[in-house]
Amino acid sequence: MHFISTKGQANPVSFMEAMSRGLAPDGGLYVPDEMPLLPQKFWKSLPDTSLQEIGYKIARPFLQNEINPAALQKIIDDALNFKVPLVQITERMYVLELFHGPTLAFKDFGARFMARMFSRQLKNQEQEITILVATSGDTGSAVAHGFLGVPGVNVCLLYPAGKVSKLQEKQMATLGRNIKALRVEGTFDDCQRMVKQAFSDPELSKDIRLSSANSINIARLLPQSFYYVYGLAQMQERTDITPYFTVPSGNFGNLTAGLWALKMGMQAEHFIAATNRNDVVPKYLHGRSYQPRASRSTISNAMDVGDPSNFSRIQHLFDYSDEAIRKAIWGQSFTDDETRACIRRLFSETGYILDPHTAVGVLAAEKFHNETGETNPGIVLSTAHPAKFGDVVEPLINQPVPMPERLKRCMDKKILSSPIEADFAALKSFLMENY
Ligand SMILES: *Cc1c(COP(=O)(O)O)cnc(C)c1O
């Protein structure tokens, strides 16, 4: 299989090359030149198939000539070593809990898989690689944990001082080992600018092998298609009715991965894009033109995206047919007040605690039922553990959110990040000294 750019002006490359490059040289995003259709035998035997078996079957055609079967299975077993339960919360609504990884959010899937693929690619090379990441919170911790202890790879994270939550800072700046964190005296935009400058600095790229790990990377997307199929497998153990999938969305990587699974032959009644007030895609799905704009901040802040980068992958997947996209995906946006009310109501009715991102998904699933008369059950992807957003959730349910052990442990650890000015020269000398 080859990977081509959504902009169509770059040479086709292998998976490993697309992963190393991140963005295609023409500025587009890498996509497979052709979606593999998995055999009926696979789709018929889903019940009682494990996440790791499903992952292998899906990933295999993407990596056919690049990695041997045993090595691929090992990477998947090792990356996805946590549970992904499907929990029924109302008669027709199920939640697929994607937050049992080390940073308690679904970004662990992509980050852990990508880290192991990077490490494998580096195995026969002398020079270490340094992954440089600017983060406003969640991506940084998933990448840091994903690469922790992975041989041949260093990670350098930049985050804006005082502008990430205490918990996020604890999750990304206490790790040590091959992870270095810099707290920048500035904003997230400053962090991003400094990282961009580093990539284009000729002197740095001569001495240090820099790479990126941002959310558009193909190696982060692929493993996200595994859990859709695993969610369906668990559903099929309970009922023959085909579910629809609801996806709390920001950059739309998660939804794109689901659509990949659909194109590979997965049964799905429908896909639902659930957003907060950053509603560019729902507006488009309701018939307006696609109009990116500046992001607005909300309580589901990991979805505060005004110009979703993966939308171009969705357009490419449907051959740029607005009609086909609008037929496959239903979309809806919700306000913070609606989100808070949903968390409160669902807790009082069922005892289940939603994080703000998942709550947006639940609202969309409910609205989809009410507006379309859909009677099939729905699977809402739960993208984060509610304890990560305790400050929002606890006042709504009037009690503490039980904190998982690993989160408690990291709250006691010491912050190891170094302060740095919001200035490229400071970053450059730090990198020169440390790598
Ligand atoms: C990143 C993130 C999202 C949005 O996912 P996309 O793939 O960018 O659409 C939703 N919820 C949480 C908790 C996230 O961290």
Side-chain angles (χ1 to χ4, degrees):
M1 184 184 290
H2 288 97
F3 295 83
I4 55 174
S5 165
T6 49
K7 291 203 172 152
Q9 304 295 316
N11 289 331
V13 295
S14 66
F15 186 92
M16 289 298 195
E17 170 123 30
M19 174 179 77
S20 302
R21 285 177 181 269
L23 212 60
D26 63 358
L29 273 58
Y30 281 114
V31 289
D33 57 356
E34 165 176 29
M35 262 310 163
L37 199 58
L38 297 186
Q40 275 310 312
K41 200 171 104 227
F42 168 72
W43 295 112
K44 292 223 163 76
S45 63
L46 285 184
D48 301 313
T49 311
S50 71
L51 173 66
Q52 293 77 10
E53 288 170 78
I54 288 169
Y56 174 81
K57 291 272 169 53
I58 292 177
R60 187 75 195 125
F62 287 81
L63 287 150
Q64 195 86 51
N65 300 318
E66 302 187 54
I67 182 166
N68 70 56
L72 178 60
Q73 186 72 68
K74 184 165 186 314
I75 286 174
I76 290 172
D77 291 352
D78 199 38
L80 309 183
N81 62 352
F82 45 87
K83 63 182 171 145
V84 184
L86 183 70
V87 179
Q88 182 168 19
I89 51 173
T90 66
E91 194 198 333
R92 280 196 230 122
M93 198 172 343
Y94 294 74
V95 166
L96 186 64
E97 294 183 347
L98 304 174
F99 53 69
H100 295 283
T103 74
L104 308 178
F106 82 99
K107 288 193 174 67
D108 285 327
F109 285 83
R112 289 176 63 82
F113 179 79
M114 178 172 64
R116 282 152 188 80
M117 293 295 283
F118 257 107
S119 167
R120 161 144 190 114
Q121 194 190 21
L122 290 168
K123 234 166 129 188
N124 303 318
Q125 299 176 14
E126 294 260 306
Q127 198 183 7
E128 296 198 331
I129 197 164
T130 300
I131 310 260
L132 203 54
V133 195
T135 180
S136 53
D138 276 351
T139 299
S141 60
V143 170
H145 281 262
F147 282 97
L148 182 65
V150 171
V153 188
N154 301 303
V155 174
C156 180
L157 296 170
L158 283 76
Y159 67 92
K163 296 194 177 64
V164 302
S165 76
K166 195 83 235 155
L167 205 129
Q168 283 173 329
E169 187 171 28
K170 287 279 187 185
Q171 280 193 314
M172 63 187 163
T174 57
L175 295 167
R177 294 167 72 185
N178 59 332
I179 314 295
K180 285 195 168 62
L182 296 172
R183 44 175 202 281
V184 176
E185 302 297 337
T187 62
F188 171 62
D189 291 336
D190 290 322
C191 300
Q192 228 168 3
R193 176 179 48 77
M194 290 159 75
V195 165
K196 274 203 180 129
Q197 252 178 298
F199 282 118
S200 58
D201 187 276
E203 213 183 342
L204 270 181
S205 57
K206 203 160 89 254
D207 289 347
I208 307 172
R209 252 182 88 194
L210 289 178
S211 192
S212 78
N214 53 25
S215 64
I216 51 93
N217 199 297
I218 192 106
R220 280 180 59 172
L221 209 55
L222 178 62
Q224 295 185 42
S225 55
F226 305 169
Y227 50 65
Y228 284 86
V229 179
Y230 184 54
L232 178 64
Q234 293 181 72
M235 197 68 157
Q236 288 181 350
E237 287 163 21
R238 307 171 199 203
T239 164
D240 291 335
I241 311 172
T242 306
Y244 64 92
F245 290 90
T246 305
V247 190
S249 296
N251 252 325
F252 282 78
N254 204 359
L255 183 65
T256 303
L259 297 168
W260 280 17
L262 177 74
K263 296 276 179 181
M264 287 182 238
M266 182 182 78
Q267 293 271 320
E269 182 66 15
H270 224 82
F271 283 85
I272 299 175
T275 73
N276 56 32
R277 283 178 66 241
N278 294 281
D279 56 359
V280 177
V281 174
K283 279 218 166 96
Y284 160 82
L285 293 171
H286 287 150
R288 295 210 218 160
S289 64
Y290 184 71
Q291 205 58 259
R293 59 165 176 212
S295 66
R296 305 193 254 191
S297 40
T298 74
I299 56 169
S300 47
N301 58 20
M303 312 197 306
D304 294 351
V305 182
D307 187 2
S309 46
N310 281 294
F311 191 69
S312 62
R313 279 190 169 123
I314 295 178
Q315 289 176 307
H316 187 271
L317 195 63
F318 289 96
D319 288 327
Y320 297 88
S321 159
D322 294 332
E323 200 193 331
I325 295 172
R326 288 176 179 141
K327 204 167 151 223
I329 313 167
W330 191 87
Q332 192 69 44
S333 74
F334 296 91
T335 65
D336 281 354
D337 282 344
E338 290 170 310
T339 307
R340 286 195 193 90
C342 175
I343 295 171
R344 198 184 284 126
R345 172 171 51 83
L346 217 83
F347 178 69
S348 78
E349 285 174 8
T350 69
Y352 192 83
I353 307 175
L354 296 167
D355 94 283
H357 305 80
T358 309
V360 171
V362 166
L363 282 166
E366 289 176 340
K367 183 133 187 180
F368 180 65
H369 271 301
N370 293 339
E371 287 207 350
T372 67
E374 172 72 52
T375 53
N376 285 13
I379 295 179
V380 178
L381 303 197
S382 178
T383 51
H385 192 290
K388 277 193 100 159
F389 300 92
D391 50 342
V392 175
V393 175
E394 289 177 358
L396 299 170
I397 62 170
N398 285 317
Q399 63 179 74
V401 180
M403 213 189 250
E405 253 332 291
R406 57 198 179 289
L407 202 55
K408 268 192 233 157
R409 276 199 301 273
C410 108
M411 290 309 278
D412 298 332
K413 289 196 194 151
K414 199 168 156 260
I415 301 279
L416 302 171
S417 59
S418 324
I420 185 171
E421 279 171 62
D423 174 29
F424 172 63
L427 174 63
K428 184 168 173 175
S429 57
F430 179 87
L431 292 171
M432 293 293 229
E433 269 165 42
N434 284 277
Y435 299 109

Short mmCIF file of all heavy atoms in Angstrom, two decimals, residues 104-107 138-139 215 220-221 224 227 247-256 274 300-305 308-310 355-358 381-385 388-389, ligand 1:
data_model
loop_
_atom_site.label_atom_id
_atom_site.label_comp_id
_atom_site.label_asym_id
_atom_site.label_seq_id
_atom_site.Cartn_x
_atom_site.Cartn_y
_atom_site.Cartn_z
N LEU A 104 -5.48 8.52 30.58
CA LEU A 104 -6.93 8.56 30.78
C LEU A 104 -7.69 9.27 29.66
O LEU A 104 -8.74 9.86 29.90
CB LEU A 104 -7.27 9.24 32.13
CG LEU A 104 -6.57 8.71 33.36
CD1 LEU A 104 -6.98 9.53 34.57
CD2 LEU A 104 -6.87 7.24 33.59
N ALA A 105 -7.16 9.24 28.46
CA ALA A 105 -7.89 9.77 27.31
C ALA A 105 -7.57 8.93 26.08
O ALA A 105 -6.56 8.22 26.05
CB ALA A 105 -7.53 11.23 27.06
N PHE A 106 -8.43 9.02 25.07
CA PHE A 106 -8.27 8.13 23.92
C PHE A 106 -7.01 8.41 23.13
O PHE A 106 -6.60 7.59 22.32
CB PHE A 106 -9.50 8.22 23.01
CG PHE A 106 -9.45 9.39 22.07
CD1 PHE A 106 -9.05 9.22 20.76
CD2 PHE A 106 -9.78 10.66 22.50
CE1 PHE A 106 -8.97 10.31 19.89
CE2 PHE A 106 -9.71 11.75 21.64
CZ PHE A 106 -9.30 11.56 20.34
N LYS A 107 -6.38 9.56 23.35
CA LYS A 107 -5.16 9.87 22.59
C LYS A 107 -4.04 8.88 22.90
O LYS A 107 -3.07 8.78 22.14
CB LYS A 107 -4.72 11.30 22.85
CG LYS A 107 -5.65 12.30 22.19
CD LYS A 107 -5.09 13.71 22.15
CE LYS A 107 -5.99 14.62 21.35
NZ LYS A 107 -7.30 14.87 21.98
N ASP A 138 -3.45 18.11 26.58
CA ASP A 138 -3.68 16.67 26.47
C ASP A 138 -2.76 15.93 25.50
O ASP A 138 -2.32 14.82 25.77
CB ASP A 138 -5.12 16.40 26.07
CG ASP A 138 -6.03 16.40 27.29
OD1 ASP A 138 -5.48 16.43 28.41
OD2 ASP A 138 -7.25 16.38 27.12
N THR A 139 -2.48 16.55 24.36
CA THR A 139 -1.61 15.88 23.40
C THR A 139 -0.25 15.63 24.01
O THR A 139 0.32 14.55 23.86
CB THR A 139 -1.46 16.73 22.12
OG1 THR A 139 -2.75 16.89 21.55
CG2 THR A 139 -0.56 16.07 21.12
N SER A 215 -1.15 15.60 15.72
CA SER A 215 -2.32 14.73 15.60
C SER A 215 -2.65 14.37 14.15
O SER A 215 -3.48 13.51 13.91
CB SER A 215 -3.53 15.40 16.24
OG SER A 215 -3.83 16.58 15.51
N ARG A 220 -0.89 7.91 14.12
CA ARG A 220 -1.81 8.11 15.24
C ARG A 220 -3.24 7.78 14.83
O ARG A 220 -4.06 7.40 15.67
CB ARG A 220 -1.73 9.56 15.74
CG ARG A 220 -0.53 9.76 16.65
CD ARG A 220 -0.41 11.16 17.17
NE ARG A 220 -1.57 11.61 17.94
CZ ARG A 220 -1.59 12.75 18.61
NH1 ARG A 220 -0.54 13.53 18.62
NH2 ARG A 220 -2.66 13.10 19.27
N LEU A 221 -3.52 7.93 13.56
CA LEU A 221 -4.88 7.71 13.08
C LEU A 221 -5.24 6.22 12.99
O LEU A 221 -6.31 5.79 13.44
CB LEU A 221 -5.01 8.34 11.69
CG LEU A 221 -6.37 8.84 11.30
CD1 LEU A 221 -6.93 9.82 12.31
CD2 LEU A 221 -6.30 9.50 9.92
N GLN A 224 -6.72 4.13 15.81
CA GLN A 224 -8.04 4.56 16.28
C GLN A 224 -9.17 3.84 15.56
O GLN A 224 -10.29 3.80 16.06
CB GLN A 224 -8.19 6.07 16.11
CG GLN A 224 -7.21 6.82 17.01
CD GLN A 224 -7.43 8.31 16.95
OE1 GLN A 224 -8.54 8.79 16.95
NE2 GLN A 224 -6.34 9.05 16.89
N TYR A 227 -10.67 0.42 17.58
CA TYR A 227 -11.65 0.33 18.67
C TYR A 227 -13.10 0.47 18.19
O TYR A 227 -14.01 0.03 18.88
CB TYR A 227 -11.33 1.28 19.83
CG TYR A 227 -11.05 2.74 19.52
CD1 TYR A 227 -12.02 3.57 19.00
CD2 TYR A 227 -9.80 3.28 19.82
CE1 TYR A 227 -11.76 4.91 18.77
CE2 TYR A 227 -9.51 4.61 19.58
CZ TYR A 227 -10.50 5.43 19.05
OH TYR A 227 -10.23 6.75 18.83
N VAL A 247 -19.36 10.45 17.89
CA VAL A 247 -17.96 10.78 18.14
C VAL A 247 -17.80 12.24 18.57
O VAL A 247 -18.02 13.16 17.77
CB VAL A 247 -17.13 10.55 16.86
CG1 VAL A 247 -15.64 10.66 17.17
CG2 VAL A 247 -17.46 9.21 16.22
N PRO A 248 -17.43 12.48 19.85
CA PRO A 248 -17.13 13.85 20.28
C PRO A 248 -15.91 14.33 19.51
O PRO A 248 -14.87 13.69 19.56
CB PRO A 248 -16.80 13.68 21.77
CG PRO A 248 -17.33 12.33 22.17
CD PRO A 248 -17.26 11.49 20.93
N SER A 249 -16.03 15.44 18.79
CA SER A 249 -15.01 15.77 17.79
C SER A 249 -14.43 17.17 17.93
O SER A 249 -15.11 18.12 18.31
CB SER A 249 -15.62 15.64 16.39
OG SER A 249 -15.97 14.30 16.15
N GLY A 250 -13.12 17.26 17.59
CA GLY A 250 -12.42 18.55 17.57
C GLY A 250 -11.68 18.69 16.25
O GLY A 250 -12.08 19.41 15.36
N ASN A 251 -10.57 17.95 16.16
CA ASN A 251 -9.81 17.94 14.91
C ASN A 251 -10.31 16.87 13.94
O ASN A 251 -9.78 16.71 12.85
CB ASN A 251 -8.33 17.71 15.20
CG ASN A 251 -7.52 18.97 14.97
OD1 ASN A 251 -7.83 19.74 14.07
ND2 ASN A 251 -6.50 19.16 15.77
N PHE A 252 -11.25 16.08 14.36
CA PHE A 252 -11.90 15.06 13.53
C PHE A 252 -11.01 13.89 13.11
O PHE A 252 -11.32 13.18 12.16
CB PHE A 252 -12.58 15.71 12.30
CG PHE A 252 -13.88 16.35 12.68
CD1 PHE A 252 -13.90 17.59 13.31
CD2 PHE A 252 -15.08 15.70 12.48
CE1 PHE A 252 -15.10 18.18 13.71
CE2 PHE A 252 -16.28 16.27 12.88
CZ PHE A 252 -16.28 17.51 13.50
N GLY A 253 -9.92 13.66 13.87
CA GLY A 253 -9.11 12.47 13.62
C GLY A 253 -9.89 11.22 14.03
O GLY A 253 -9.93 10.21 13.31
N ASN A 254 -10.52 11.31 15.19
CA ASN A 254 -11.27 10.17 15.73
C ASN A 254 -12.37 9.74 14.75
O ASN A 254 -12.50 8.56 14.41
CB ASN A 254 -11.85 10.60 17.07
CG ASN A 254 -12.12 9.42 17.98
OD1 ASN A 254 -11.89 8.26 17.62
ND2 ASN A 254 -12.62 9.71 19.17
N LEU A 255 -13.15 10.69 14.28
CA LEU A 255 -14.24 10.36 13.35
C LEU A 255 -13.68 9.81 12.03
O LEU A 255 -14.20 8.85 11.47
CB LEU A 255 -15.11 11.58 13.08
CG LEU A 255 -16.32 11.31 12.17
CD1 LEU A 255 -17.30 10.36 12.82
CD2 LEU A 255 -17.03 12.60 11.81
N THR A 256 -12.59 10.40 11.56
CA THR A 256 -11.97 9.91 10.33
C THR A 256 -11.61 8.43 10.46
O THR A 256 -11.85 7.64 9.55
CB THR A 256 -10.70 10.74 10.00
OG1 THR A 256 -11.06 12.11 9.90
CG2 THR A 256 -10.05 10.28 8.70
N ALA A 274 -20.31 15.01 16.98
CA ALA A 274 -20.80 15.83 18.08
C ALA A 274 -19.75 16.86 18.41
O ALA A 274 -18.59 16.53 18.63
CB ALA A 274 -21.07 14.94 19.30
N SER A 300 -15.41 21.69 27.20
CA SER A 300 -14.85 20.49 26.55
C SER A 300 -13.69 20.94 25.69
O SER A 300 -13.71 20.87 24.47
CB SER A 300 -15.92 19.76 25.74
OG SER A 300 -16.64 20.68 24.91
N ASN A 301 -12.62 21.41 26.37
CA ASN A 301 -11.59 22.21 25.69
C ASN A 301 -10.71 21.43 24.71
O ASN A 301 -10.09 22.02 23.84
CB ASN A 301 -10.74 22.97 26.71
CG ASN A 301 -10.08 22.04 27.71
OD1 ASN A 301 -9.94 20.84 27.45
ND2 ASN A 301 -9.70 22.56 28.85
N ALA A 302 -10.67 20.11 24.83
CA ALA A 302 -9.87 19.34 23.85
C ALA A 302 -10.56 19.33 22.48
O ALA A 302 -10.00 18.82 21.51
CB ALA A 302 -9.63 17.92 24.34
N MET A 303 -11.78 19.86 22.43
CA MET A 303 -12.49 19.93 21.15
C MET A 303 -12.64 21.38 20.66
O MET A 303 -13.45 21.66 19.79
CB MET A 303 -13.88 19.28 21.27
CG MET A 303 -13.83 17.92 21.94
SD MET A 303 -15.29 16.89 21.69
CE MET A 303 -16.61 17.94 22.23
N ASP A 304 -11.86 22.28 21.25
CA ASP A 304 -11.96 23.69 20.84
C ASP A 304 -11.13 23.92 19.58
O ASP A 304 -10.01 24.43 19.63
CB ASP A 304 -11.49 24.62 21.97
CG ASP A 304 -12.42 24.57 23.15
OD1 ASP A 304 -13.50 23.96 23.05
OD2 ASP A 304 -12.05 25.13 24.20
N VAL A 305 -11.66 23.52 18.46
CA VAL A 305 -10.94 23.62 17.19
C VAL A 305 -11.85 24.31 16.18
O VAL A 305 -12.98 23.87 15.97
CB VAL A 305 -10.56 22.22 16.67
CG1 VAL A 305 -9.78 22.33 15.37
CG2 VAL A 305 -9.76 21.43 17.71
N PRO A 308 -10.78 22.29 11.71
CA PRO A 308 -10.38 20.88 11.95
C PRO A 308 -9.48 20.33 10.83
O PRO A 308 -9.89 20.29 9.68
CB PRO A 308 -11.70 20.12 11.98
CG PRO A 308 -12.76 21.13 12.13
CD PRO A 308 -12.23 22.42 11.57
N SER A 309 -8.27 19.92 11.22
CA SER A 309 -7.30 19.54 10.18
C SER A 309 -7.70 18.27 9.43
O SER A 309 -7.40 18.13 8.25
CB SER A 309 -5.91 19.40 10.78
OG SER A 309 -5.96 18.66 11.96
N ASN A 310 -8.39 17.34 10.09
CA ASN A 310 -8.70 16.09 9.40
C ASN A 310 -9.91 16.17 8.47
O ASN A 310 -10.24 15.18 7.82
CB ASN A 310 -8.92 14.96 10.41
CG ASN A 310 -7.60 14.43 10.94
OD1 ASN A 310 -6.82 13.85 10.19
ND2 ASN A 310 -7.32 14.68 12.21
N ASP A 355 -17.52 12.73 31.38
CA ASP A 355 -16.65 13.91 31.29
C ASP A 355 -17.31 14.86 30.29
O ASP A 355 -18.22 14.46 29.55
CB ASP A 355 -15.24 13.49 30.85
CG ASP A 355 -15.07 13.61 29.35
OD1 ASP A 355 -15.57 12.73 28.64
OD2 ASP A 355 -14.48 14.61 28.90
N PRO A 356 -16.90 16.13 30.25
CA PRO A 356 -17.60 17.10 29.38
C PRO A 356 -17.56 16.72 27.89
O PRO A 356 -18.50 17.03 27.16
CB PRO A 356 -16.83 18.41 29.61
CG PRO A 356 -16.16 18.25 30.92
CD PRO A 356 -15.88 16.80 31.09
N HIS A 357 -16.49 16.07 27.42
CA HIS A 357 -16.40 15.71 25.99
C HIS A 357 -17.40 14.61 25.65
O HIS A 357 -18.13 14.69 24.67
CB HIS A 357 -14.97 15.27 25.64
CG HIS A 357 -13.95 16.29 26.00
ND1 HIS A 357 -13.49 16.44 27.28
CD2 HIS A 357 -13.33 17.25 25.26
CE1 HIS A 357 -12.62 17.44 27.32
NE2 HIS A 357 -12.50 17.94 26.10
N THR A 358 -17.42 13.58 26.51
CA THR A 358 -18.35 12.47 26.28
C THR A 358 -19.79 12.96 26.40
O THR A 358 -20.68 12.49 25.68
CB THR A 358 -18.08 11.35 27.30
OG1 THR A 358 -16.67 11.04 27.26
CG2 THR A 358 -18.87 10.09 26.95
N LEU A 381 -18.55 7.19 21.78
CA LEU A 381 -17.16 7.03 22.16
C LEU A 381 -16.87 7.95 23.34
O LEU A 381 -17.12 9.15 23.26
CB LEU A 381 -16.22 7.37 20.99
CG LEU A 381 -16.39 6.60 19.69
CD1 LEU A 381 -15.15 6.76 18.82
CD2 LEU A 381 -16.67 5.14 19.92
N SER A 382 -16.36 7.37 24.42
CA SER A 382 -16.02 8.18 25.57
C SER A 382 -14.54 8.50 25.51
O SER A 382 -13.70 7.62 25.62
CB SER A 382 -16.36 7.43 26.86
OG SER A 382 -15.98 8.23 27.95
N THR A 383 -14.23 9.80 25.30
CA THR A 383 -12.85 10.15 24.97
C THR A 383 -11.97 10.47 26.18
O THR A 383 -10.75 10.51 26.05
CB THR A 383 -12.84 11.35 23.99
OG1 THR A 383 -13.66 12.39 24.53
CG2 THR A 383 -13.38 10.94 22.63
N ALA A 384 -12.57 10.72 27.35
CA ALA A 384 -11.73 11.03 28.52
C ALA A 384 -12.41 10.56 29.81
O ALA A 384 -13.64 10.48 29.89
CB ALA A 384 -11.45 12.52 28.61
N HIS A 385 -11.59 10.27 30.80
CA HIS A 385 -12.09 9.89 32.13
C HIS A 385 -12.60 11.16 32.84
O HIS A 385 -11.92 12.20 32.79
CB HIS A 385 -10.95 9.26 32.92
CG HIS A 385 -11.40 8.59 34.18
ND1 HIS A 385 -11.87 9.28 35.27
CD2 HIS A 385 -11.46 7.28 34.51
CE1 HIS A 385 -12.19 8.43 36.23
NE2 HIS A 385 -11.96 7.20 35.79
N LYS A 388 -10.37 13.55 34.97
CA LYS A 388 -9.48 14.53 34.34
C LYS A 388 -10.09 15.92 34.34
O LYS A 388 -9.40 16.91 34.15
CB LYS A 388 -9.22 14.14 32.88
CG LYS A 388 -8.14 13.14 32.69
CD LYS A 388 -7.71 13.06 31.23
CE LYS A 388 -6.45 13.85 30.98
NZ LYS A 388 -5.75 13.40 29.74
N PHE A 389 -11.42 15.96 34.48
CA PHE A 389 -12.12 17.25 34.42
C PHE A 389 -12.96 17.45 35.67
O PHE A 389 -14.09 17.93 35.63
CB PHE A 389 -12.98 17.32 33.14
CG PHE A 389 -12.13 17.20 31.90
CD1 PHE A 389 -11.90 15.96 31.32
CD2 PHE A 389 -11.52 18.32 31.35
CE1 PHE A 389 -11.08 15.84 30.20
CE2 PHE A 389 -10.70 18.21 30.24
CZ PHE A 389 -10.49 16.97 29.65
C1 LIG B 1 -8.49 15.24 21.36
C2 LIG B 1 -9.77 15.02 22.06
C3 LIG B 1 -11.02 15.04 21.40
C4 LIG B 1 -11.15 15.38 19.94
O1 LIG B 1 -10.67 14.37 19.10
P1 LIG B 1 -10.40 14.66 17.57
O2 LIG B 1 -9.80 13.42 17.03
O3 LIG B 1 -9.44 15.83 17.54
O4 LIG B 1 -11.69 15.01 16.94
C5 LIG B 1 -12.16 14.75 22.13
N1 LIG B 1 -12.11 14.48 23.46
C6 LIG B 1 -10.94 14.47 24.13
C7 LIG B 1 -10.96 14.19 25.58
C8 LIG B 1 -9.72 14.73 23.47
O5 LIG B 1 -8.57 14.71 24.16
#
